[in-house]
Amino acid sequence: MEKLQALQAAAREGGFVQVEESEEGTVLWLRKEKSDAATKTHQRMCIDGISNSLTVYWMTVVGKIDSKTFRNVPSLQEWFALHPAE
């Protein structure tokens, strides 16, 4: 539970806001507060309590969906640092 709360806190620091939570409370969906300038879409994020992971989804300029999964806060924060918000 602490790990999931830490991932959620890091997501909020990275500019994500809550969108929806599953009825069972095992999945939390967030989206980037600001849309991407190139694609005009919002990155989405799923925090999964069953797998204890966080996956970020985004659309590439050519219209394909890409994703990256994280299992700890330092790796998510490192990714945020490499992909700063525009």
Side-chain angles (χ1 to χ4, degrees):
M1 184 67 147
E2 285 180 33
K3 180 179 183 179
L4 295 175
Q5 290 174 340
L7 286 169
Q8 186 175 352
R12 291 186 191 285
E13 289 173 12
F16 284 82
V17 294
Q18 183 172 332
V19 175
E20 184 178 352
E21 186 171 355
S22 69
E23 288 184 25
E24 300 82 24
T26 58
V27 173
L28 178 65
W29 282 96
L30 300 101
R31 73 169 173 82
K32 191 77 169 203
E33 203 164 14
K34 295 183 180 183
S35 63
D36 177 70
T39 63
K40 307 284 191 266
T41 61
H42 295 269
Q43 289 181 349
R44 300 285 178 164
M45 178 182 289
C46 176
I47 300 176
D48 184 348
I50 305 251
S51 65
N52 286 319
S53 65
L54 176 152
T55 303
V56 179
Y57 300 90
W58 67 93
M59 186 173 293
T60 65
V61 177
V62 293
K64 294 184 179 180
I65 296 174
D66 206 347
S67 66
K68 180 140 179 82
T69 300
F70 303 92
R71 299 205 180 273
N72 59 56
V73 171
S75 61
L76 176 62
Q77 290 172 328
E78 182 179 321
W79 189 77
F80 283 152
L82 294 172
H83 300 89
E86 295 183 19

